[in-house]
Amino acid sequence: MKANVGGIDRILRIVAGLVLLALVFVGPQTPWGWIGIIPLVTGLLKFCPFYPLIGLNTCPTKES
């Protein structure tokens, strides 16, 4: 599993995941908030399984 989520993308995924998960416990208390697990996990692992399918990579390239 090679990292393909970087920088701003990673931060946005983690924040969005936490906000969605918060909906389960506060506010409207909707079970739809559990969908926040997906962006949270992909942000923490720096890997999105959908990105290779569409040929996307937001990690900065390392120059040799």
Side-chain angles (χ1 to χ4, degrees):
M1 220 169 38
K2 186 178 178 187
N4 62 6
V5 175
I8 300 296
D9 188 14
R10 182 175 183 215
I11 293 168
L12 290 175
R13 285 172 184 264
I14 293 171
V15 170
L18 291 173
V19 168
L20 287 170
L21 280 173
L23 293 177
V24 174
F25 304 105
V26 294
Q29 297 180 341
T30 174
W32 282 102
W34 289 110
I35 197 115
I37 290 174
I38 296 168
L40 181 61
V41 169
T42 58
L44 292 174
L45 295 179
K46 298 185 201 177
F47 179 77
C48 177
F50 186 65
Y51 274 12
L53 297 175
I54 59 174
L56 193 59
N57 184 354
T58 60
C59 280
T61 56
K62 294 180 181 176
E63 301 203 15
S64 303

